Amino acid sequence: MATVAVDPLIHHYRRKTPRLSPKLTTAKQSSLNYTRRLLSRGATFCSFKSPLRLAVRAGSTEAALAETSESTDVVFDKTFSLKRTAKVEGKILIRLNSGKDDKKWQLTVGCSLPGKWVLHWGVNYVNDIGSEWDQPPLEMRPPDSITIKDYAIETPLKKSSMALGSDIFYEVKIDFNLNSSITAINFVLKDEDTGAWYQHRGRDFKVPLTDYLQDDGNVVGSKKGFGIWPGALGQLSNMLLNSEGAQYDGEDGTSDLREPTQQKRGLEGFYEEHSIIKESLIDSSVSVSVRRSPETTKNSLHIETDLPGDIVVHWGVCKDEGKRWEIPAEPYPAETIVFKSKAMRTLLQRKDGGPGACGCFTLDDEYVGFLFVLKLDEDTWLNYNGNDFYIPLSNSSGLHTRSRLVESEKNEQQDVLERVESGSLPIPEKTTEANQAGSAYTDEIISEIRNLVSGISSEKSRKTKSKEAQETILQEIEKLAAEAYSIFRTAIPTFSETAISEAEAEVLPVKICSGTGTGFEIVCQGFNWESHRSGKWYLELHKKAAELSSRGFTVVWLPPPTESISPEGYMPKDLYNLNSRYGSIDELKVLVTRFHEVGIKVLGDAVLNHRCAHHKNQNGIWNIFGGRLNWDDRAVVADDPHFQGRGNKSSGDNFHAAPNIDHSQDFVRKDIREWLCWLRNEIGYDGWRLDFVRGFWGGYVKEYIDASEPYFAVGEYWDSLSYTYGEMDHNQDAHRQRIIDWINATNGTAGAFDVTTKGILHSALERCEYWRLSDQKGKPPGVVGWWPSRAVTFIENHDTGSTQGHWRFPGGKEMQGYAYILTHPGTPSVFYDHAFSNYGSEISELISVRNRNKIHCRSTIQITKADRDVYAAMIDEKVAMKIGPGHYEPPSGPQKWSLATEGNDYKVWEAS
Amino acid sequence: MEVSLMASSQANLRGTELCRDRDVLGFCCPNSDLNAQICYGKSKICFSKSIGWPKSPVRLAIKAVSQPEPVMSEKVSGETSTFCRRAKPADGVRLYVGLPLDSVSDCNAINHSRAIMAGLKALKLLGVDGVELPVFWGIAEKEAMGKYEWSGYLALAEMVQKVGLKLHVSLCFHTSKEAKIPLPKWVSDIGKSRPSIFFVDRSGQQYKECLSLAVDDIPVLDGKTPIQVYKEFCESFKNSFSPFMGSTITGISVGLGPDGELRYPSHHHQAKDNRIQGAGEFQCNDENMLNHLKQHAEKLGNPLWGLSGPHDAPRNDQSPLSNFFNENGGSWESPYGDFFLSWYSNLLISHGDRLLSLAASTFSDTSVTLSAKVPLVHSWYRTRSHPSELTAGYYNTVNRDGYEEVVEMFSRNSTKMILPGMDLSDENQPNESLSSPELLLAQITAACRKHNVEVSGQNLMISGSPRGFEQIKKNLSGENAVADLFTYQRMGASFFSPDHFPSFNAFVRSLDQPEVHSDDLPTIQEEAAEPSPGKNLQMQAA
């Protein structure tokens, strides 16, 4: 059997094969997606939220209305456009065969359906990691190929000379040389007419050319189908085609695309066919008119449609707006049966001469509405965008109904527009879809088994079957139990409470304030720009918690937890949805609990400056929010023309990629306060790292911090330093003043990243200008020199370094940077990439020196040397340090200095 | 129309497909936008095609309850419950599993909802009848008196309903140390200024895990008595969960004291090392208890007896069989002892009576079964004085059956009794504690049988050994079956651990299929449609 789950995607082109969670990789999900997608496609023409649920296309509605207003007894007349899907079955043909000599091979992909077919394809090379596509070498590309960015090729299929039976046949041939380092060819088929993509069971078609292809879960059907092709080349009779089976998506892998394999590098040719179903929409319509007879006070309803075949109207009436189906009193129209005392079924009369059918229904005055759906055949039903068709009937309050009707139609037009456009922007839907599909999986199995069981139990001869069924059930139970276990297990606290409290008792009581924590904090930024990739960062970090603790970190800064348009999390959307690319909310809770167990406080990365919208406004601008905080455009600042906010002007700088939140609105602030408190209570966050605080006034931050009472908070106020003629000024007072101003605006309730210090370290280290590290007054030149307790010193973060590298610390000099910040006052923050690199042990060494000597954010510092090639300082008269290639030894005074640690161009001494 | 078949997740699309040959297609229901696709759906989803089973049967079961109406029939709907838990075995035990104590967090969100969902499905497949959900006062009425927040629990009830399991709700007016669930904050705050709302032990330490029963009728909570507050809590619960009452929620138990049990917190200061199992201490040292004792003693003409509890009762770290509890000549056997122990135990019983009659009247208009939990204080049971039971508030000695009155009180309130510890067997008890869970259980259940009080069982601990399950099975099946419902405590990591779950699995299946192989039994429908067996009916008749 050949199985092809045809999955028309509405996406723009795809960069790589979708990274789905393992569960999603089963064919099952893809076929669910399929249905789902069609849904959104089919729904583009009508999607309404209006209470009356009427009306379809804008154009026809208006016409209908104009007409009705003139007639006296026609109280309702409307034509609904219907879209039916017509399916055409065809085949996709794939042939791999060798050419004239052993080294020349040819891959042929064909399609038997008419259409503008394009092969969208790419290759994998030998040393590729992961599943990303690459462009094939030039010589492999057939003529007329177009490159799509740097990873794919699109080649149109041409009408084939070789006819397959009597059908027209389209094909493309790709020639390649076996000696090239290509391991696989990946492709999907695209229909230019409809924009639909056709995949293999929800994934790319993948033709492996070697047997050492990395199976990262992305090889189609690899688990079952990656077997050896039964028989050798040319077994065309063995075509796997079974159109019935093609739809089957059972779990056990009726997975039938056998991947051609080669054993020991002997590539074997193959030929396969996959059935493919192309769907196209066919327009039909149904018109409904209601006439009211003044004498009888009855409504007569007329339905007419141009649909072919026997059309059954499945209908009921309702007495109120609730649209509860009821069965009307007799008499019924001809050809009517009562269906399960819930609804009526009336077969429409065929029209003479031509397709179409019509029917007439007489209804009493007491009913306010007529509900129906159309049944085309046993399996095909047409309804009104997911709802029943609802026709309001005239009664005493008829006039009233009419006016509401008009109003609702106006809204509908908007909605239609919106829906159509959103079709091109499917990203926001993706995650939820994936989640649902995940749970759909088990639900399916359950219902599957349920059916099996109920079926079995109803059979007398269940002897053997029941045993099989039991087996299946037991296996499923085991699977579910294992899933539950894996989640519950990670949530168990594994430490003894008493031990911790004793340890804490030894520490002198310290005054904790949100700007500083205890003052002895050492932060680790617990992620980098790529952490979202695995999809299970929370789990990965979980394993490192104990290590972080043992290395002396007291605070960890976690990535932004909310649902986000960008995978890194900095484009938040639904703030209360904490299932992100880093993991699920449950995993997050488990992680936070784990950090608490090991005595580490957890900072949440709160993105408060901007938020991505769920919906567009009437102008097509994305500025209407959904989710629990369903703000409208009043929550968006007014001074960014991109987003047409109706709020006040921004109280800070604008971030232009997303609607900036107007924090001057009371409702916004109230919601944010509540959200932060929720995060504190629900997740257990101890504090905040506040993203892009340049975007709004620090006074609001104070309010948020007062409300959420964090243990520690730090804001990211990042703007650029002052330069003159391309050279950094020695005096960066203006720069640090801006940061200080922000901290002041928060009333000192939050610290700020010491961007100034990082910038000055850059120049000092890169250009060997260590004199820069002392300001005119002999103090450290960054924020740490002015307000050390509020300065969070750092040398790198996910933006400046990692794979973004917007402002990377001078390479190879990172340890000098850490020798500086880990010995100096302020609260040092270590970047994940550094903490878990070769520098890790040196950093740990510095941290232990800091902790041993109880250096804290307010420690005193005396700069003892700031020359061209060396900088030296003494902290709390207990620790001395130097960085730079120049020579320095701490003077022997009252203290005796012993070397505590040293590395490339840095040394740290302790007083003994 | 078939609304119940639909929900908004994709999963149900398939569910809908399944029922297409038996009923109206789901898309006729008004609130799902998935339905537009019905016309394509079928061809994609194939197993429904290959398995064209007839409609699931509707099963009727007759459940005996000790409510005013003697027999109540309940429709166990066909859609969901036709599972592999086949015929109820001859002894008709229904099996429940407790949900994690912290299922709902103090922010009213569901903890580990994915795990719980998976767990529920597993249980459903296994044929478990329902789950038990502890509903904590400290979560649902956390913020302020009368400010209820049921959303988390409602969501959970919905999950349970969706899976097709029944729900037994335990209303917990106590804390859970294990899950770190406190009393409502406003109650704790009152406790700071009014320490006498809590029990106090002899050394002056407060027991803050539940309110002292001595303040039941004293308006200590901002002008209201705890009984009033409990009542309003129950009312609010009933109203908020009315859609589930009688259908998904089939039983409610009311917490009567520490850990929900009708007892004094006599054991809460158990010695750290469990080598000596103390007898616990009398808890009558708070202001209100002492007042009450004083009045009572004066009324009986012995004012001197009312000054404090027994001065010579051993402390927790002392041998329990000394002084007051001395096996021979201890003052427990003296007139003073009788005076004190009667007073102490009566106070507990009347506390139980107050709460249960409150609950009975609140829930009288629903069809749920009411129950409450009695502890199985089995240590030192094989002594004459039964010191552990005495300190816990059960005046049960070699001379006197202390459970009779308690059971009568349950009977008066038509309340079912929950008995924990059905997994305990005598042979696994440490010898030196002279304990006997089995004998105690037998004593209590005999009293229950006498007074027509039904019994639900629970286990005390999650057991990895098949032995515990054997004991449970012994208590649930055969001639000596003591309970018609058993709640296994409790879902969580150890429950699903590979060390435990397989034995639980085996236990459930062994309950289901006693000796006879399923092939030899009559078909499922026939059996299931029969009224459940004689035992219950007999009890009703008696």
Side-chain angles (χ1 to χ4, degrees):
Chain A
M1 287 192 299
T3 293
V4 181
V6 181
D7 193 348
L9 295 168
I10 314 175
H11 299 202
H12 6 197
Y13 44 79
R14 325 163 39 259
R15 178 172 173 133
K16 57 194 107 155
T17 54
R19 283 183 171 270
L20 300 170
S21 71
K23 275 215 159 163
L24 284 173
T25 60
T26 64
K28 204 160 277 184
Q29 269 66 44
S30 66
S31 74
L32 277 175
N33 284 347
Y34 159 84
T35 337
R36 175 75 178 226
R37 295 212 189 271
L38 266 174
L39 165 69
S40 56
R41 219 153 59 108
T44 48
F45 71 104
C46 42
S47 161
F48 308 131
K49 293 172 201 144
S50 67
L52 277 175
R53 303 227 162 88
L54 266 182
V56 188
R57 291 202 149 156
S60 65
T61 355
E62 274 161 24
L65 273 178
E67 197 181 309
T68 52
S69 55
E70 281 161 41
S71 59
T72 46
D73 64 337
V74 175
V75 291
F76 181 90
D77 186 357
K78 174 168 302 192
T79 302
F80 298 85
S81 83
L82 301 172
K83 301 231 172 188
R84 271 183 312 133
T85 310
K87 290 181 199 163
V88 194
E89 279 200 40
K91 292 166 195 156
I92 292 177
L93 307 100
I94 305 166
R95 180 194 294 114
L96 184 68
N97 52 12
S98 62
K100 284 162 197 137
D101 64 76
D102 279 355
K103 298 298 169 202
K104 298 261 186 231
W105 284 71
Q106 188 177 57
L107 177 72
T108 310
V109 179
C111 180
S112 67
L113 285 177
K116 253 178 114 178
W117 296 103
V118 170
L119 189 77
H120 183 93
W121 62 288
V123 298
N124 295 126
Y125 288 106
V126 173
N127 291 319
D128 277 0
I129 296 160
S131 57
E132 299 198 15
W133 291 16
D134 280 310
Q135 277 189 345
L138 279 172
E139 66 271 15
M140 233 175 117
R141 302 178 195 174
D144 296 334
S145 295
I146 307 161
T147 58
I148 301 296
K149 299 231 169 146
D150 55 350
Y151 50 83
I153 295 287
E154 286 198 345
T155 312
L157 271 66
K158 302 221 164 112
K159 257 189 200 170
S160 165
S161 46
M162 185 199 92
L164 182 95
S166 56
D167 297 336
I168 327 162
F169 177 63
Y170 298 82
E171 68 171 13
V172 64
K173 291 190 162 84
I174 299 168
D175 293 305
F176 60 94
N177 193 326
L178 201 56
N179 286 341
S180 62
S181 52
I182 293 167
T183 57
I185 300 175
N186 305 300
F187 65 90
V188 293
L189 212 54
K190 183 173 144 193
D191 182 359
E192 292 266 85
D193 291 336
T194 60
W197 297 80
Y198 295 88
Q199 293 173 293
H200 169 57
R201 307 178 80 203
R203 315 270 219 90
D204 306 327
F205 288 92
K206 184 164 207 142
V207 180
L209 302 180
T210 58
D211 57 358
Y212 56 90
L213 187 72
Q214 283 181 19
D215 179 6
D216 56 2
N218 209 23
V219 178
V220 187
S222 65
K223 289 283 183 290
K224 296 110 187 174
F226 203 61
I228 299 146
W229 185 251
L233 195 74
Q235 273 207 332
L236 294 186
S237 60
N238 213 352
M239 284 197 310
L240 296 177
L241 179 67
N242 182 332
S243 58
E244 267 303 299
Q247 302 306 325
Y248 186 83
D249 53 16
E251 179 202 22
D252 60 329
T254 22
S255 74
D256 312 317
L257 172 56
R258 295 288 169 88
E259 296 292 344
T261 342
Q262 59 149 23
Q263 286 174 294
K264 310 205 171 65
R265 206 148 169 89
L267 188 62
E268 289 181 9
F270 69 96
Y271 172 72
E272 310 176 18
E273 296 185 0
H274 301 280
S275 78
I276 142 177
I277 298 173
K278 181 173 166 178
E279 318 235 0
S280 54
L281 291 177
I282 296 178
D283 285 310
S284 306
S285 67
V286 58
S287 321
V288 181
S289 64
V290 181
R291 283 165 200 274
R292 185 176 165 80
S293 150
E295 305 91 56
T296 60
T297 67
K298 286 193 177 196
N299 290 306
S300 121
L301 185 139
H302 185 80
I303 297 182
E304 194 171 329
T305 175
D306 59 356
L307 290 165
D310 287 334
I311 310 297
V312 172
V313 182
H314 183 97
W315 61 282
V317 289
C318 61
K319 287 185 182 150
D320 52 38
E321 298 272 295
K323 296 187 189 156
R324 292 174 61 94
W325 286 54
E326 288 178 35
I327 297 183
E330 291 185 76
Y332 305 133
E335 301 269 11
T336 298
I337 54 165
V338 178
F339 182 77
K340 304 219 168 173
S341 62
K342 281 173 183 154
M344 313 291 299
R345 283 185 168 177
T346 304
L347 180 69
L348 294 181
Q349 305 290 317
R350 294 270 190 100
K351 277 197 224 165
D352 298 333
C358 61
C360 196
F361 304 81
T362 307
L363 302 161
D364 283 340
D365 190 38
E366 60 177 314
Y367 303 118
V368 304
F370 179 85
L371 297 150
F372 73 97
V373 293
L374 296 174
K375 180 165 169 280
L376 304 189
D377 59 52
E378 274 313 310
D379 307 313
T380 316
W381 297 70
L382 288 176
N383 64 0
Y384 182 63
N385 185 40
N387 292 303
D388 308 325
F389 288 94
Y390 174 76
I391 308 300
L393 299 175
S394 144
N395 51 20
S396 34
S397 58
L399 213 75
H400 172 65
T401 320
R402 170 67 67 80
S403 64
R404 289 191 48 191
L405 195 104
V406 175
E407 199 172 300
S408 70
E409 279 169 6
K410 274 187 195 153
N411 297 335
E412 283 157 14
Q413 290 176 21
Q414 258 180 36
D415 283 332
V416 171
L417 196 74
E418 206 170 292
R419 204 41 184 268
V420 172
E421 288 176 8
S422 68
S424 63
L425 245 175
I427 311 155
E429 272 181 7
K430 261 205 139 163
T431 44
T432 55
E433 215 168 84
N435 291 342
Q436 282 178 359
S439 75
Y441 173 73
T442 38
D443 286 346
E444 272 162 38
I445 290 177
I446 287 224
S447 53
E448 199 167 329
I449 291 171
R450 182 176 296 163
N451 273 277
L452 208 62
V453 173
S454 60
I456 285 153
S457 59
S458 66
E459 277 178 33
K460 299 271 172 186
S461 62
R462 61 206 152 88
K463 201 163 181 173
T464 48
K465 276 194 179 173
S466 75
K467 276 173 194 155
E468 282 166 25
Q470 275 192 349
E471 250 349 272
T472 327
I473 292 166
L474 287 177
Q475 278 170 12
E476 180 56 22
I477 290 172
E478 266 167 35
K479 228 188 275 174
L480 287 164
E483 182 185 352
Y485 177 57
S486 69
I487 302 172
F488 279 129
R489 182 184 49 178
T490 46
I492 307 177
T494 51
F495 71 114
S496 107
E497 232 172 290
T498 46
I500 292 281
S501 61
E502 277 163 20
E504 274 172 357
E506 287 175 23
V507 181
L508 290 171
V510 270
K511 196 169 168 283
I512 293 170
C513 90
S514 60
T516 61
T518 56
F520 292 90
E521 309 298 347
I522 299 173
V523 181
C524 176
Q525 177 176 5
F527 64 100
N528 61 30
W529 195 245
E530 302 299 319
S531 297
H532 64 87
R533 294 248 179 234
S534 67
K536 46 185 186 193
W537 184 248
Y538 294 146
L539 298 178
E540 287 166 24
L541 207 52
H542 190 274
K543 298 174 201 140
K544 300 208 156 80
E547 185 184 347
L548 283 172
S549 171
S550 69
R551 287 167 63 173
F553 291 102
T554 62
V555 175
V556 65
W557 154 23
L558 295 187
T562 56
E563 177 199 17
S564 165
I565 296 297
S566 62
E568 298 85 10
Y570 287 99
M571 300 286 270
K573 196 172 159 205
D574 180 355
L575 299 188
Y576 279 92
N577 179 354
L578 300 193
N579 295 310
S580 68
R581 293 293 288 270
Y582 297 102
S584 71
I585 179 167
D586 286 333
E587 289 161 355
L588 174 59
K589 283 186 198 173
V590 167
L591 176 64
V592 171
T593 312
R594 176 70 190 144
F595 275 121
H596 288 168
E597 280 165 30
V598 298
I600 291 183
K601 302 285 180 184
V602 181
L603 302 187
D605 200 326
V607 183
L608 302 179
N609 176 66
H610 52 270
R611 183 180 164 202
C612 295
H614 289 67
H615 311 289
K616 294 179 175 186
N617 69 1
Q618 66 278 9
N619 302 331
I621 300 294
W622 291 91
N623 63 10
I624 309 292
F625 301 92
R628 179 150 150 197
L629 303 181
N630 51 349
W631 303 334
D632 58 11
D633 50 5
R634 284 175 301 143
V636 178
V637 296
D639 43 357
D640 186 342
H642 292 99
F643 294 106
Q644 300 182 356
R646 288 198 293 128
N648 296 311
K649 283 187 66 172
S650 176
S651 53
D653 294 328
N654 259 327
F655 174 80
H656 291 290
N660 282 30
I661 295 172
D662 179 8
H663 293 261
S664 69
Q665 304 281 0
D666 290 340
F667 73 93
V668 169
R669 288 207 307 284
K670 174 175 161 289
D671 283 346
I672 292 181
R673 284 196 307 267
E674 283 178 6
W675 178 62
L676 291 172
C677 292
W678 177 78
L679 286 177
R680 286 273 280 141
N681 294 326
E682 186 64 30
I683 306 302
Y685 281 126
D686 303 286
W688 315 119
R689 180 269 181 186
L690 300 164
D691 185 57
F692 201 81
V693 293
R694 263 171 69 198
F696 52 105
W697 178 47
Y700 299 134
V701 171
K702 173 183 186 302
E703 190 179 328
Y704 301 144
I705 286 181
D706 288 348
S708 59
E709 299 179 327
Y711 169 92
F712 186 74
V714 53
E716 180 210 29
Y717 193 99
W718 180 12
D719 64 359
S720 75
L721 281 72
S722 359
Y723 292 83
T724 309
Y725 302 124
E727 195 162 312
M728 184 190 279
D729 295 344
H730 179 208
N731 182 334
Q732 294 294 347
D733 288 356
H735 185 262
R736 56 173 159 169
Q737 186 63 53
R738 289 194 293 276
I739 296 175
I740 298 276
D741 287 347
W742 179 82
I743 302 172
N744 255 326
T746 72
N747 211 10
T749 56
F753 286 110
D754 191 347
V755 183
T756 321
T757 293
K758 171 170 162 71
I760 292 170
L761 281 170
H762 274 234
S763 291
L765 271 53
E766 206 161 28
R767 306 156 64 112
C768 198
E769 295 174 344
Y770 288 85
W771 48 267
R772 289 180 183 271
L773 290 172
S774 171
D775 70 6
Q776 277 95 339
K777 294 187 174 161
K779 293 271 195 188
V783 178
V784 71
W786 278 357
W787 199 347
S789 68
R790 298 300 187 273
V792 177
T793 48
F794 73 108
I795 68 164
E796 205 80 292
N797 63 30
H798 59 285
D799 286 323
T800 63
S802 191
T803 49
Q804 295 200 93
H806 291 318
W807 193 34
R808 200 180 295 284
F809 201 79
K813 315 218 171 188
E814 290 87 352
M815 279 319 299
Q816 290 185 59
Y818 281 117
Y820 182 90
I821 68 169
L822 286 171
T823 54
H824 279 49
T827 302
S829 173
V830 177
F831 185 41
Y832 183 86
D833 286 1
H834 297 149
F836 291 93
S837 68
N838 319 337
Y839 298 137
S841 56
E842 285 183 74
I843 290 172
S844 302
E845 203 55 51
L846 286 167
I847 291 175
S848 66
V849 172
R850 184 180 180 90
N851 284 338
R852 206 156 52 226
N853 292 282
K854 299 202 168 56
I855 295 175
H856 52 88
C857 65
R858 298 180 181 85
S859 288
T860 61
I861 172 166
Q862 189 196 347
I863 296 176
T864 46
K865 201 162 195 175
D867 283 353
R868 185 189 63 83
D869 60 353
V870 65
Y871 164 86
M874 203 183 292
I875 298 94
D876 277 352
E877 301 182 342
K878 288 184 282 193
V879 170
M881 58 81 70
K882 77 118 194 175
I883 53 175
H887 173 80
Y888 176 82
E889 284 289 333
S892 47
Q895 312 99 323
K896 272 207 154 166
W897 296 105
S898 60
L899 190 63
T901 180
E902 66 178 321
N904 193 11
D905 287 343
Y906 76 89
K907 275 185 177 174
V908 179
W909 298 265
E910 283 172 291
S912 49
Chain B
M1 304 217 50
E2 296 293 308
V3 178
S4 65
L5 292 175
M6 291 301 297
S8 54
S9 87
Q10 291 193 8
N12 285 288
L13 184 61
R14 185 164 287 236
T16 313
E17 288 305 312
L18 289 177
C19 57
R20 77 171 193 291
D21 50 4
R22 61 163 115 119
D23 215 333
V24 187
L25 276 168
F27 77 116
C28 297
C29 84
N31 39 11
S32 165
D33 58 340
L34 278 170
N35 301 316
Q37 286 321 313
I38 291 303
C39 37
Y40 319 120
K42 186 228 163 185
S43 60
K44 298 302 294 180
I45 291 159
C46 281
F47 74 84
S48 65
K49 186 186 288 174
S50 53
I51 312 173
W53 305 113
K55 261 186 277 177
S56 13
V58 170
R59 191 176 57 167
L60 269 177
I62 290 179
K63 191 177 65 164
V65 282
S66 43
Q67 296 273 348
E69 66 275 20
V71 176
M72 191 179 70
S73 72
E74 182 199 17
K75 187 183 160 202
V76 186
S77 107
E79 220 284 310
T80 51
S81 63
T82 50
F83 244 1
C84 53
R85 192 102 185 283
R86 37 11 55 204
K88 295 288 168 198
D91 43 356
V93 174
R94 283 171 294 147
L95 186 63
Y96 280 58
V97 171
L99 290 173
L101 290 169
D102 62 348
S103 295
V104 172
S105 76
D106 61 354
C107 293
N108 271 291
I110 301 180
N111 274 329
H112 328 300
S113 61
R114 270 192 55 208
I116 289 178
M117 198 60 192
L120 289 175
K121 286 173 180 163
L123 294 180
K124 179 69 192 171
L125 288 180
L126 203 49
V128 165
D129 296 85
V131 288
E132 181 260 1
L133 168 65
V135 168
F136 282 92
W137 189 24
I139 289 176
E141 198 178 352
K142 175 181 158 192
E143 295 293 332
M145 194 204 289
K147 201 176 159 206
Y148 304 103
E149 180 56 61
W150 300 110
S151 54
Y153 290 115
L154 279 167
L156 205 57
E158 216 161 278
M159 270 166 73
V160 173
Q161 187 179 47
K162 211 169 138 195
V163 177
L165 289 166
K166 298 292 171 197
L167 186 59
H168 180 104
V169 173
S170 305
L171 301 178
C172 303
F173 298 111
H174 56 270
T175 64
S176 165
K177 275 189 169 167
E178 193 188 330
K180 301 203 188 85
I181 299 168
L183 287 182
K185 193 171 172 299
W186 57 276
V187 174
S188 311
D189 288 347
I190 289 170
K192 278 174 200 150
S193 57
R194 242 188 131 135
S196 63
I197 64 170
F198 296 119
F199 287 111
V200 177
D201 69 9
R202 213 157 37 159
S203 58
Q205 272 207 302
Q206 284 183 315
Y207 176 79
K208 293 185 179 176
E209 315 301 317
C210 68
L211 297 186
S212 159
L213 57 83
V215 296
D216 273 356
D217 286 322
I218 305 177
V220 288
L221 301 178
D222 292 334
K224 286 192 183 168
T225 68
I227 288 288
Q228 285 170 322
V229 173
Y230 297 152
K231 168 117 182 143
E232 283 162 18
F233 184 88
C234 292
E235 294 279 0
S236 169
F237 172 81
K238 184 179 80 174
N239 295 334
S240 310
F241 286 75
S242 56
F244 299 101
M245 285 289 182
S247 52
T248 295
I249 299 181
T250 53
I252 292 176
S253 55
V254 186
L256 302 179
D259 296 323
E261 296 176 333
L262 181 65
R263 67 173 297 165
Y264 289 95
S266 53
H267 273 88
H268 76 279
H269 271 135
Q270 206 59 276
K272 284 262 163 63
D273 59 314
N274 279 336
R275 267 171 309 170
I276 309 172
Q277 185 139 38
E281 294 182 17
F282 291 112
Q283 307 284 316
C284 53
N285 307 291
D286 65 90
E287 189 189 317
N288 299 302
M289 286 293 279
L290 286 174
N291 275 343
H292 198 282
L293 177 61
K294 189 159 165 254
Q295 283 167 19
H296 185 69
E298 281 165 4
K299 210 162 67 192
L300 293 186
N302 267 315
L304 291 179
W305 285 357
L307 297 179
S308 77
H311 68 281
D312 58 347
R315 291 175 177 275
N316 248 328
D317 49 0
Q318 293 171 322
S319 160
L321 299 180
S322 52
N323 305 329
F324 186 81
F325 298 121
N326 206 321
E327 282 289 83
N328 295 302
S331 34
W332 61 274
E333 273 187 297
S334 69
Y336 165 73
D338 183 55
F339 155 81
F340 176 79
L341 293 169
S342 305
W343 168 78
Y344 189 69
S345 64
N346 280 333
L347 218 52
L348 182 69
I349 293 171
S350 45
H351 162 74
D353 200 17
R354 275 191 295 270
L355 269 172
L356 290 185
S357 61
L358 166 169
S361 69
T362 307
F363 294 108
S364 61
D365 55 346
T366 66
S367 57
V368 299
T369 313
L370 206 60
S371 51
K373 193 165 162 190
V374 159
L376 197 70
V377 192
H378 57 80
S379 52
W380 307 110
Y381 185 82
R382 290 174 199 267
T383 60
R384 295 185 66 242
S385 60
H386 296 222
S388 287
E389 289 163 82
L390 296 183
T391 57
Y394 289 85
Y395 189 5
N396 190 47
T397 65
V398 69
N399 310 319
R400 189 178 186 277
D401 186 342
Y403 291 96
E404 194 99 343
E405 312 157 80
V406 178
V407 171
E408 269 172 36
M409 186 269 287
F410 272 73
S411 166
R412 217 163 33 243
N413 292 297
S414 311
T415 304
K416 213 169 150 166
M417 188 180 281
I418 300 176
L419 284 173
M422 296 227 173
D423 52 335
L424 302 181
S425 57
D426 285 2
E427 46 185 299
N428 289 341
Q429 300 304 316
N431 271 336
E432 60 273 26
S433 75
L434 296 173
S435 117
S436 176
E438 290 179 45
L439 287 177
L440 177 55
L441 195 65
Q443 188 192 348
I444 302 178
T445 51
C448 286
R449 209 164 292 148
K450 186 168 157 198
H451 292 274
N452 297 331
V453 169
E454 279 187 69
V455 173
S456 294
Q458 285 190 3
N459 55 318
L460 213 53
M461 55 189 74
I462 208 154
S463 86
S465 72
R467 174 155 287 174
F469 287 116
E470 267 167 39
Q471 186 65 26
I472 296 172
K473 222 178 123 186
K474 202 165 122 191
N475 280 321
L476 295 181
S477 48
E479 290 298 300
N480 335 316
V482 293
D484 66 339
L485 187 154
F486 183 82
T487 306
Y488 192 81
Q489 304 290 21
R490 165 178 297 287
M491 190 190 282
S494 37
F495 179 81
F496 284 114
S497 75
D499 298 335
H500 173 267
F501 193 74
S503 19
F504 178 76
N505 195 334
F507 160 69
V508 177
R509 289 190 298 139
S510 70
L511 265 189
D512 289 349
Q513 296 138 3
E515 285 77 33
V516 202
H517 190 269
S518 63
D519 283 15
D520 301 331
L521 288 171
T523 63
I524 283 161
Q525 277 79 6
E526 285 163 27
E527 176 115 346
E530 275 169 23
S532 45
K535 198 192 71 179
N536 293 334
L537 296 176
Q538 227 173 347
M539 283 167 55
Q540 285 302 325

